Amino acid sequence: MVKPSCIMIHHTAVATTKNPDQFKATNLYHQAKWNVKSSKRFYNGYHYEIAANGKIRQARQDGERSVACWQKRMNDGRCLHICIDGNFDIEEPKPEQIFSLRDLLRKLAKKYQI
């Protein structure tokens, strides 16, 4: 594992009205697509995922290889990938998600001096 030096934020592109907690669905989708299990025993390709209620789950260790954003090798562990449940082309993030994201970003930025 490497020391993270950047953070990338994603969204699931699935509306929270269809599924407010998409961690399990993301895990199953990534298992079928890439089948790369993390050290935490998940297939979810992101390091963290934030549900509509603001709950944060960690699927990969910080610095662990991900399956998110393989372009320019941004999946080699130097970039932490945070996914927020929701389709932000058609809906806004929930306040709980924004607060959780803010707190997580503060924690990670301080920890890794990003």
Side-chain angles (χ1 to χ4, degrees):
M1 285 191 262
V2 299
K3 180 184 175 198
S5 60
C6 61
I7 299 170
M8 190 175 297
I9 301 169
H10 308 262
H11 67 120
T12 59
V14 176
T16 56
T17 53
K18 290 185 178 186
N19 187 353
D21 187 348
Q22 300 172 20
F23 187 86
K24 184 177 179 180
T26 302
N27 195 60
L28 290 171
Y29 176 72
H30 286 188
Q31 180 181 11
K33 190 164 184 168
W34 292 293
N35 198 34
V36 178
K37 193 181 276 188
S38 74
S39 63
K40 291 185 157 291
R41 309 201 47 79
F42 293 109
Y43 295 96
N44 189 323
Y46 307 109
H47 294 92
Y48 298 89
E49 189 166 327
I50 303 174
N53 66 2
K55 181 177 181 177
I56 300 170
R57 289 195 186 96
Q58 186 173 6
R60 296 182 176 270
Q61 291 289 347
D62 295 354
E64 183 174 0
R65 183 176 198 85
S66 72
V67 298
C69 197
W70 51 267
Q71 301 90 340
K72 297 186 181 181
R73 295 189 332 250
M74 292 302 286
N75 67 340
D76 64 2
R78 64 189 157 116
C79 185
L80 294 172
H81 296 274
I82 301 170
C83 187
I84 305 171
D85 291 353
N87 183 346
F88 304 132
D89 291 331
I90 61 170
E91 65 184 328
E92 295 289 323
K94 306 287 186 252
E96 297 87 353
Q97 290 175 302
I98 297 296
F99 297 139
S100 292
L101 177 62
R102 177 202 60 198
D103 295 344
L104 181 58
L105 288 171
R106 283 179 177 164
K107 175 184 149 191
L108 295 172
K110 182 177 181 180
K111 183 175 182 178
Y112 298 110
Q113 299 163 355
I114 298 173

